């Protein structure tokens, strides 16, 4: 399992809420709130689909981490369903 997939698995299995916003480049930014009140962010281009997600920033009360880790299509499917309400 890649780091991007591991971050996605953690977010999808322990997440307590999410929000979706557009990026400046016309893509999607998905923020998933985790149990510890941290927030894991994911992004994909506007013309992308489930194979185009990238795990990005992890924000926490005590700090954060910046990632740019690709997410494979099987895990991206869950992100796509949350962000768009439909399967790509």
């Amino acid at each position: 399992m890649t780091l991007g997939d591991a971050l996605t698995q953690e977010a999808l299995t322990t997440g307590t809420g999410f929000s979706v916003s557009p990026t400046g480049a016309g893509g999607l930014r998905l923020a998933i709130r985790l149990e510890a009140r941290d927030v894991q962010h994911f992004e994909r281009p506007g013309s992308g689909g489930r194979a185009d997600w990238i795990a990005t920033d992890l924000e926490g009360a005590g700090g954060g981490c910046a990632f740019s880790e690709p997410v494979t299509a099987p895990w991206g499917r869950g992100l796509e369903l949350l962000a768009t309400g439909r399967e790509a």
Side-chain angles (χ1 to χ4, degrees):
M1 178 178 283
T2 67
L3 178 56
D5 289 351
L7 294 168
T8 303
Q9 180 185 31
E10 179 71 16
L12 292 176
T13 58
T14 67
T16 60
F18 70 95
S19 64
V20 180
S21 59
T23 66
L28 289 178
R29 184 168 174 89
L30 174 63
I32 300 178
R33 190 172 47 256
L34 307 176
E35 288 180 333
R37 302 182 89 188
D38 297 340
V39 178
Q40 178 66 59
H41 295 274
F42 300 89
E43 292 184 10
R44 75 152 170 82
S47 61
R50 65 185 188 174
D52 300 305
W53 286 95
I54 296 173
T56 61
D57 304 329
L58 172 65
E59 297 178 62
C65 294
F67 296 103
S68 182
E69 295 292 329
V71 176
T72 61
W75 286 102
R77 179 176 178 254
L79 299 175
E80 191 69 19
L81 287 169
L82 282 179
T84 67
R86 64 183 190 282
E87 189 170 349

Coordinates of all heavy atoms in Angstrom, one line a residue:
M1 N 0.9 -1.2 0.0 CA 0.0 0.0 0.0 C 0.9 1.2 0.0 O 1.8 1.3 0.8 CB -0.9 0.0 1.2 CG -1.8 1.2 1.3 SD -2.9 1.2 2.8 CE -4.2 0.0 2.2
T2 N 0.6 2.2 -0.9 CA 1.3 3.4 -0.9 C 1.0 4.4 0.2 O 0.0 4.2 0.9 CB 1.1 4.2 -2.2 OG1 -0.3 4.6 -2.2 CG2 1.3 3.3 -3.5
L3 N 1.8 5.4 0.5 CA 1.5 6.4 1.5 C 0.2 7.1 1.2 O -0.6 7.3 2.1 CB 2.7 7.4 1.7 CG 2.4 8.5 2.7 CD1 2.1 7.9 4.1 CD2 3.6 9.4 2.7
G4 N 0.0 7.4 -0.1 CA -1.3 8.1 -0.4 C -2.5 7.2 -0.1 O -3.5 7.7 0.4
D5 N -2.4 5.9 -0.4 CA -3.5 5.0 -0.1 C -3.7 4.9 1.4 O -4.8 4.8 1.9 CB -3.2 3.6 -0.7 CG -3.3 3.6 -2.2 OD1 -3.8 4.6 -2.8 OD2 -3.0 2.6 -2.8
A6 N -2.6 4.8 2.2 CA -2.7 4.7 3.6 C -3.4 5.9 4.2 O -4.2 5.8 5.1 CB -1.3 4.5 4.2
L7 N -3.0 7.1 3.7 CA -3.7 8.3 4.2 C -5.1 8.3 3.9 O -6.0 8.7 4.7 CB -3.0 9.6 3.7 CG -1.5 9.8 4.1 CD1 -0.9 10.9 3.3 CD2 -1.5 10.2 5.6
T8 N -5.5 7.8 2.7 CA -6.8 7.8 2.3 C -7.6 6.8 3.1 O -8.7 7.0 3.6 CB -6.9 7.4 0.8 OG1 -6.2 8.3 0.0 CG2 -8.4 7.4 0.3
Q9 N -7.0 5.6 3.3 CA -7.7 4.6 4.2 C -8.0 5.1 5.6 O -9.1 5.0 6.1 CB -6.8 3.3 4.3 CG -7.5 2.2 5.1 CD -6.6 1.1 5.3 OE1 -5.3 1.2 5.4 NE2 -7.1 -0.1 5.4
E10 N -7.0 5.8 6.2 CA -7.2 6.4 7.5 C -8.4 7.4 7.5 O -9.2 7.4 8.3 CB -5.9 7.0 8.0 CG -6.0 7.7 9.3 CD -6.1 6.7 10.5 OE1 -5.8 5.5 10.3 OE2 -6.5 7.1 11.6
A11 N -8.4 8.2 6.5 CA -9.4 9.3 6.4 C -10.8 8.7 6.1 O -11.8 9.1 6.8 CB -9.1 10.3 5.3
L12 N -10.9 7.7 5.2 CA -12.2 7.1 4.9 C -12.7 6.3 6.1 O -13.9 6.2 6.2 CB -12.1 6.3 3.6 CG -11.9 7.1 2.4 CD1 -11.7 6.2 1.2 CD2 -13.0 8.1 2.1
T13 N -11.9 5.6 6.8 CA -12.3 4.7 7.9 C -12.5 5.4 9.2 O -13.3 5.0 10.0 CB -11.4 3.5 8.1 OG1 -10.1 4.0 8.4 CG2 -11.4 2.7 6.8
T14 N -11.8 6.5 9.5 CA -12.0 7.2 10.8 C -12.6 8.6 10.6 O -12.8 9.3 11.7 CB -10.6 7.3 11.5 OG1 -9.8 8.2 10.8 CG2 -10.0 6.0 11.7
G15 N -12.8 9.0 9.4 CA -13.4 10.4 9.2 C -14.7 10.6 9.8 O -15.6 9.7 9.9
T16 N -15.0 11.8 10.3 CA -16.2 12.1 11.0 C -17.0 13.2 10.2 O -18.1 13.6 10.7 CB -16.0 12.6 12.4 OG1 -15.2 13.8 12.4 CG2 -15.3 11.5 13.3
G17 N -16.5 13.6 9.1 CA -17.2 14.6 8.3 C -16.3 15.1 7.2 O -15.1 14.8 7.2
F18 N -16.9 15.8 6.2 CA -16.0 16.2 5.1 C -16.7 17.5 4.5 O -17.8 17.8 4.7 CB -15.9 15.2 4.0 CG -17.2 14.8 3.3 CD1 -17.4 15.4 2.1 CD2 -18.1 14.0 3.8 CE1 -18.6 15.2 1.4 CE2 -19.3 13.7 3.1 CZ -19.5 14.3 1.9
S19 N -15.8 18.2 3.7 CA -16.3 19.3 2.9 C -15.5 19.3 1.6 O -14.4 18.8 1.5 CB -16.1 20.7 3.7 OG -14.7 20.9 3.8
V20 N -16.2 19.9 0.6 CA -15.6 20.0 -0.7 C -15.5 21.4 -1.2 O -16.5 22.2 -1.0 CB -16.4 19.2 -1.8 CG1 -15.8 19.2 -3.1 CG2 -16.6 17.7 -1.3
S21 N -14.4 21.8 -1.8 CA -14.3 23.2 -2.3 C -13.5 23.2 -3.6 O -12.8 22.3 -3.8 CB -13.7 24.1 -1.3 OG -12.4 23.6 -0.9
P22 N -13.7 24.2 -4.4 CA -13.0 24.3 -5.7 C -11.5 24.7 -5.4 O -11.3 25.5 -4.4 CB -13.7 25.3 -6.5 CG -14.4 26.1 -5.5 CD -14.7 25.3 -4.3
T23 N -10.6 24.3 -6.2 CA -9.2 24.8 -6.1 C -9.1 26.0 -7.1 O -10.0 26.2 -8.0 CB -8.2 23.8 -6.5 OG1 -8.4 23.5 -7.9 CG2 -8.3 22.5 -5.7
G24 N -8.1 26.8 -7.0 CA -7.9 27.9 -7.9 C -7.7 27.5 -9.3 O -8.0 28.3 -10.2
A25 N -7.3 26.3 -9.6 CA -7.1 25.8 -10.9 C -8.3 25.1 -11.5 O -8.2 24.4 -12.5 CB -5.9 24.9 -11.0
G26 N -9.5 25.2 -10.8 CA -10.7 24.5 -11.3 C -10.8 23.1 -10.9 O -11.7 22.4 -11.4
G27 N -10.0 22.6 -10.0 CA -10.1 21.2 -9.5 C -11.0 21.1 -8.2 O -11.7 22.1 -7.9
L28 N -10.9 20.0 -7.6 CA -11.6 19.8 -6.3 C -10.6 19.6 -5.2 O -9.6 19.0 -5.3 CB -12.5 18.6 -6.4 CG -13.7 18.6 -7.3 CD1 -14.4 17.3 -7.4 CD2 -14.6 19.7 -6.9
R29 N -11.0 20.1 -4.0 CA -10.3 19.9 -2.8 C -11.2 19.3 -1.8 O -12.3 19.9 -1.5 CB -9.7 21.2 -2.2 CG -8.8 21.1 -1.0 CD -8.1 22.4 -0.7 NE -7.4 22.4 0.5 CZ -6.1 22.0 0.6 NH1 -5.5 21.5 -0.4 NH2 -5.5 22.1 1.8
L30 N -10.9 18.2 -1.3 CA -11.7 17.4 -0.3 C -11.0 17.4 1.0 O -9.9 17.1 1.1 CB -11.9 16.0 -0.8 CG -12.6 15.0 0.1 CD1 -14.1 15.4 0.4 CD2 -12.6 13.6 -0.5
A31 N -11.7 17.9 2.0 CA -11.2 17.9 3.4 C -12.0 17.0 4.2 O -13.2 17.0 4.3 CB -11.3 19.3 4.0
I32 N -11.3 16.0 4.9 CA -12.0 15.0 5.7 C -11.5 15.2 7.1 O -10.3 15.2 7.4 CB -11.6 13.6 5.2 CG1 -12.1 13.4 3.8 CG2 -12.3 12.6 6.2 CD1 -11.8 12.0 3.2
R33 N -12.4 15.5 8.0 CA -12.2 15.7 9.4 C -12.0 14.3 10.1 O -12.8 13.4 9.9 CB -13.3 16.4 10.1 CG -13.0 16.9 11.5 CD -14.1 17.8 12.0 NE -15.5 17.3 11.8 CZ -16.3 17.8 10.9 NH1 -15.9 18.7 10.1 NH2 -17.5 17.3 10.7
L34 N -10.9 14.1 10.8 CA -10.5 12.8 11.4 C -11.0 12.9 12.9 O -11.3 13.9 13.5 CB -9.0 12.6 11.3 CG -8.5 12.6 9.9 CD1 -7.0 12.5 9.9 CD2 -9.1 11.6 9.0
E35 N -11.0 11.7 13.5 CA -11.4 11.6 14.9 C -10.7 12.5 15.9 O -11.2 13.0 16.8 CB -11.2 10.1 15.4 CG -12.2 9.2 14.8 CD -12.0 7.7 15.3 OE1 -10.9 7.4 15.7 OE2 -13.0 7.0 15.3
A36 N -9.4 12.7 15.6 CA -8.5 13.5 16.5 C -8.7 15.0 16.2 O -7.9 15.8 16.7 CB -7.1 13.1 16.4
R37 N -9.7 15.3 15.5 CA -10.0 16.7 15.1 C -8.9 17.3 14.1 O -8.8 18.5 13.8 CB -10.1 17.6 16.3 CG -11.2 17.2 17.2 CD -11.4 18.1 18.3 NE -12.4 19.1 18.0 CZ -12.7 20.1 18.7 NH1 -12.1 20.3 19.8 NH2 -13.6 21.0 18.3
D38 N -8.1 16.4 13.5 CA -7.2 16.7 12.5 C -8.0 16.8 11.2 O -9.1 16.2 11.1 CB -6.1 15.7 12.3 CG -5.2 15.6 13.6 OD1 -5.2 16.6 14.4 OD2 -4.5 14.6 13.7
V39 N -7.4 17.4 10.1 CA -8.1 17.4 8.8 C -7.1 17.0 7.8 O -6.0 17.5 7.7 CB -8.6 18.8 8.5 CG1 -9.3 18.8 7.1 CG2 -9.6 19.3 9.5
Q40 N -7.5 15.9 7.0 CA -6.7 15.5 5.9 C -7.3 16.0 4.6 O -8.5 15.9 4.4 CB -6.6 13.9 5.9 CG -5.8 13.4 4.7 CD -4.3 13.7 4.8 OE1 -3.7 13.3 5.7 NE2 -3.8 14.3 3.7
H41 N -6.4 16.6 3.8 CA -6.9 17.2 2.5 C -6.4 16.3 1.3 O -5.4 15.7 1.3 CB -6.3 18.6 2.3 CG -6.8 19.6 3.3 ND1 -8.0 20.3 3.2 CD2 -6.3 19.9 4.5 CE1 -8.1 21.0 4.2 NE2 -7.1 20.9 5.1
F42 N -7.3 16.3 0.3 CA -7.0 15.6 -1.0 C -7.4 16.6 -2.1 O -8.3 17.3 -2.0 CB -7.9 14.3 -1.1 CG -7.6 13.4 0.0 CD1 -8.3 13.4 1.2 CD2 -6.6 12.4 -0.1 CE1 -8.1 12.5 2.2 CE2 -6.4 11.5 0.9 CZ -7.1 11.5 2.1
E43 N -6.7 16.5 -3.2 CA -7.0 17.3 -4.4 C -7.0 16.5 -5.7 O -6.2 15.5 -5.7 CB -6.0 18.5 -4.5 CG -6.1 19.5 -3.4 CD -5.2 20.7 -3.6 OE1 -4.6 20.8 -4.7 OE2 -5.1 21.5 -2.7
R44 N -7.7 16.9 -6.6 CA -7.7 16.4 -8.0 C -8.0 17.5 -9.0 O -8.7 18.4 -8.7 CB -8.6 15.2 -8.2 CG -10.0 15.5 -8.3 CD -10.7 14.4 -9.1 NE -12.1 14.5 -9.2 CZ -12.8 15.2 -10.0 NH1 -12.2 16.1 -10.8 NH2 -14.1 15.2 -9.9
P45 N -7.5 17.3 -10.2 CA -7.8 18.3 -11.3 C -9.3 18.3 -11.6 O -9.9 17.3 -11.4 CB -6.9 17.9 -12.5 CG -6.2 16.7 -12.1 CD -6.6 16.3 -10.7
G46 N -9.8 19.4 -12.2 CA -11.2 19.5 -12.6 C -11.6 18.4 -13.6 O -12.7 17.9 -13.5
S47 N -10.7 18.0 -14.5 CA -11.1 17.0 -15.5 C -10.7 15.6 -15.0 O -10.8 14.7 -15.8 CB -10.4 17.3 -16.8 OG -9.0 17.3 -16.6
G48 N -10.3 15.5 -13.8 CA -9.8 14.2 -13.3 C -10.9 13.3 -12.8 O -12.1 13.6 -12.8
G49 N -10.5 12.1 -12.3 CA -11.4 11.1 -11.8 C -10.7 10.4 -10.6 O -9.8 10.9 -10.0
R50 N -11.2 9.2 -10.4 CA -10.7 8.5 -9.2 C -9.2 8.2 -9.2 O -8.6 8.0 -8.2 CB -11.6 7.3 -9.0 CG -11.4 6.2 -10.0 CD -12.4 5.1 -9.7 NE -12.2 4.0 -10.6 CZ -12.8 2.8 -10.5 NH1 -13.7 2.7 -9.6 NH2 -12.6 1.9 -11.4
A51 N -8.6 8.1 -10.4 CA -7.2 7.8 -10.4 C -6.3 9.0 -10.3 O -5.1 8.9 -10.4 CB -6.9 7.1 -11.7
D52 N -6.9 10.2 -10.1 CA -6.2 11.5 -10.2 C -6.1 12.2 -8.8 O -5.6 13.3 -8.8 CB -6.8 12.4 -11.2 CG -6.8 11.8 -12.6 OD1 -5.7 11.4 -13.1 OD2 -7.9 11.7 -13.2
W53 N -6.5 11.5 -7.8 CA -6.4 12.2 -6.4 C -5.0 12.2 -5.9 O -4.3 11.2 -6.1 CB -7.4 11.5 -5.5 CG -8.8 11.8 -5.8 CD1 -9.7 11.0 -6.5 CD2 -9.5 12.9 -5.3 NE1 -10.9 11.7 -6.5 CE2 -10.9 12.8 -5.8 CE3 -9.2 14.0 -4.5 CZ2 -11.8 13.8 -5.5 CZ3 -10.2 15.0 -4.2 CH2 -11.5 14.8 -4.8
I54 N -4.7 13.2 -5.1 CA -3.4 13.3 -4.4 C -3.7 13.7 -3.0 O -4.5 14.6 -2.7 CB -2.6 14.4 -5.1 CG1 -2.2 14.0 -6.5 CG2 -1.3 14.7 -4.2 CD1 -1.5 15.1 -7.3
A55 N -3.1 13.0 -2.1 CA -3.2 13.3 -0.6 C -2.3 14.5 -0.4 O -1.1 14.5 -0.8 CB -2.8 12.1 0.2
T56 N -2.8 15.6 0.1 CA -2.1 16.8 0.4 C -1.9 17.1 1.9 O -1.6 16.2 2.6 CB -2.7 18.0 -0.4 OG1 -4.0 18.2 0.0 CG2 -2.7 17.7 -1.9
D57 N -2.2 18.2 2.3 CA -2.0 18.7 3.7 C -2.7 17.9 4.7 O -3.9 17.6 4.6 CB -2.3 20.2 3.8 CG -1.6 21.0 2.8 OD1 -0.4 20.6 2.4 OD2 -2.1 22.1 2.4
L58 N -2.1 17.7 5.8 CA -2.7 17.2 7.1 C -2.6 18.3 8.1 O -1.5 18.7 8.4 CB -2.0 15.9 7.6 CG -2.5 15.4 8.9 CD1 -3.9 15.0 8.9 CD2 -1.6 14.3 9.4
E59 N -3.7 18.8 8.5 CA -3.7 19.9 9.5 C -4.1 19.3 10.9 O -5.1 18.6 11.0 CB -4.8 20.9 9.1 CG -4.5 21.7 7.8 CD -5.6 22.6 7.5 OE1 -5.8 23.6 8.3 OE2 -6.3 22.4 6.5
G60 N -3.4 19.7 11.9 CA -3.7 19.3 13.3 C -3.5 20.4 14.2 O -2.8 21.4 13.9
A61 N -4.1 20.3 15.4 CA -4.0 21.3 16.5 C -2.5 21.5 16.9 O -2.1 22.7 17.2 CB -4.8 20.9 17.7
G62 N -1.7 20.5 16.8 CA -0.3 20.6 17.2 C 0.7 20.8 16.1 O 1.9 20.8 16.3
G63 N 0.2 21.0 14.9 CA 1.0 21.2 13.7 C 0.4 20.5 12.5 O -0.8 20.3 12.4
G64 N 1.2 20.2 11.5 CA 0.7 19.6 10.3 C 1.8 19.0 9.5 O 3.0 19.1 9.8
C65 N 1.4 18.5 8.4 CA 2.4 17.9 7.4 C 1.9 18.2 6.0 O 0.7 18.3 5.7 CB 2.5 16.4 7.5 SG 3.1 15.8 9.1
A66 N 2.8 18.5 5.1 CA 2.5 18.7 3.7 C 2.9 17.4 2.9 O 4.0 17.0 3.0 CB 3.3 19.9 3.2
F67 N 1.9 16.9 2.2 CA 2.1 15.7 1.4 C 1.8 16.1 -0.1 O 1.1 17.0 -0.3 CB 1.2 14.6 1.8 CG 1.4 14.1 3.2 CD1 0.6 14.4 4.2 CD2 2.5 13.2 3.5 CE1 0.7 13.9 5.5 CE2 2.6 12.7 4.7 CZ 1.8 13.1 5.8
S68 N 2.3 15.3 -1.0 CA 1.9 15.3 -2.4 C 2.0 13.9 -2.8 O 2.9 13.5 -3.6 CB 2.8 16.2 -3.2 OG 2.4 16.2 -4.5
E69 N 1.1 13.0 -2.3 CA 1.2 11.6 -2.5 C 0.0 11.1 -3.4 O -1.1 11.3 -3.0 CB 1.2 10.8 -1.2 CG 2.4 11.1 -0.3 CD 3.7 10.5 -0.9 OE1 3.6 9.5 -1.6 OE2 4.7 11.1 -0.6
P70 N 0.3 10.5 -4.5 CA -0.7 10.0 -5.3 C -1.6 8.9 -4.6 O -1.1 8.1 -3.8 CB 0.0 9.3 -6.5 CG 1.4 9.7 -6.4 CD 1.7 10.2 -5.0
V71 N -2.8 8.9 -5.0 CA -3.8 7.9 -4.4 C -4.2 7.0 -5.6 O -4.5 7.5 -6.7 CB -5.0 8.5 -3.8 CG1 -6.1 7.5 -3.4 CG2 -4.6 9.5 -2.7
T72 N -4.1 5.7 -5.4 CA -4.5 4.7 -6.5 C -6.0 4.8 -6.8 O -6.8 5.1 -5.9 CB -4.0 3.3 -6.3 OG1 -4.6 2.8 -5.1 CG2 -2.5 3.2 -6.1
A73 N -6.4 4.3 -8.0 CA -7.8 4.4 -8.4 C -8.7 3.7 -7.4 O -9.8 4.2 -7.1 CB -8.0 3.9 -9.8
P74 N -8.4 2.5 -6.9 CA -9.3 1.8 -5.9 C -9.6 2.7 -4.7 O -10.8 2.7 -4.3 CB -8.6 0.5 -5.5 CG -7.7 0.2 -6.7 CD -7.2 1.6 -7.2
W75 N -8.6 3.3 -4.1 CA -8.9 4.2 -3.0 C -9.5 5.6 -3.4 O -10.2 6.2 -2.7 CB -7.6 4.4 -2.2 CG -7.3 3.2 -1.4 CD1 -6.3 2.3 -1.7 CD2 -8.0 2.7 -0.2 NE1 -6.4 1.2 -0.8 CE2 -7.4 1.5 0.2 CE3 -9.0 3.2 0.6 CZ2 -7.8 0.8 1.3 CZ3 -9.4 2.5 1.7 CH2 -8.8 1.3 2.0
G76 N -9.1 6.0 -4.6 CA -9.6 7.2 -5.2 C -11.1 7.2 -5.4 O -11.8 8.2 -5.4
R77 N -11.6 6.0 -5.6 CA -13.1 5.8 -5.8 C -13.9 6.3 -4.6 O -14.9 7.0 -4.8 CB -13.4 4.3 -6.0 CG -14.8 4.0 -6.2 CD -15.0 2.5 -6.5 NE -16.4 2.2 -6.7 CZ -17.2 1.6 -5.7 NH1 -16.6 1.2 -4.6 NH2 -18.5 1.4 -5.9
G78 N -13.4 6.0 -3.4 CA -14.1 6.5 -2.2 C -14.1 8.0 -2.1 O -15.0 8.7 -1.8
L79 N -12.9 8.6 -2.5 CA -12.8 10.1 -2.5 C -13.7 10.7 -3.5 O -14.4 11.7 -3.2 CB -11.3 10.5 -2.7 CG -10.3 10.0 -1.7 CD1 -8.9 10.4 -2.2 CD2 -10.6 10.5 -0.3
E80 N -13.8 10.1 -4.7 CA -14.6 10.6 -5.8 C -16.1 10.5 -5.4 O -16.8 11.5 -5.6 CB -14.4 9.7 -7.0 CG -15.0 10.3 -8.3 CD -14.3 11.6 -8.7 OE1 -13.1 11.9 -8.4 OE2 -14.9 12.3 -9.5
L81 N -16.5 9.5 -4.7 CA -17.9 9.4 -4.3 C -18.2 10.4 -3.2 O -19.3 11.0 -3.3 CB -18.2 8.0 -3.7 CG -18.3 6.8 -4.7 CD1 -18.3 5.5 -4.0 CD2 -19.5 7.0 -5.6
L82 N -17.3 10.7 -2.3 CA -17.6 11.8 -1.3 C -17.6 13.1 -2.0 O -18.5 14.0 -1.7 CB -16.5 11.8 -0.3 CG -16.5 10.8 0.9 CD1 -15.4 10.9 1.8 CD2 -17.8 10.9 1.6
A83 N -16.6 13.4 -2.9 CA -16.5 14.7 -3.4 C -17.6 15.1 -4.5 O -18.0 16.2 -4.6 CB -15.1 14.9 -4.1
T84 N -18.1 14.1 -5.2 CA -19.0 14.4 -6.3 C -20.4 13.8 -6.1 O -21.3 14.1 -6.9 CB -18.4 13.9 -7.7 OG1 -18.3 12.5 -7.7 CG2 -17.0 14.5 -7.9
G85 N -20.5 12.8 -5.2 CA -21.7 12.1 -5.1 C -22.0 11.1 -6.2 O -23.1 10.6 -6.3
R86 N -21.0 10.8 -7.0 CA -21.2 9.9 -8.1 C -19.9 9.1 -8.3 O -18.8 9.7 -8.0 CB -21.7 10.5 -9.3 CG -20.7 11.5 -10.0 CD -21.3 12.2 -11.2 NE -20.3 12.9 -11.9 CZ -19.8 14.1 -11.6 NH1 -20.3 14.7 -10.5 NH2 -18.9 14.7 -12.3
E87 N -19.9 8.0 -8.9 CA -18.8 7.2 -9.2 C -18.2 7.6 -10.6 O -19.0 7.8 -11.5 CB -19.1 5.7 -9.2 CG -17.9 4.8 -9.3 CD -18.2 3.4 -9.0 OE1 -19.3 3.1 -8.6 OE2 -17.4 2.6 -9.3
A88 N -16.9 7.8 -10.6 CA -16.3 8.2 -11.9 C -15.8 6.9 -12.7 O -15.5 5.9 -12.1 CB -15.1 9.1 -11.7

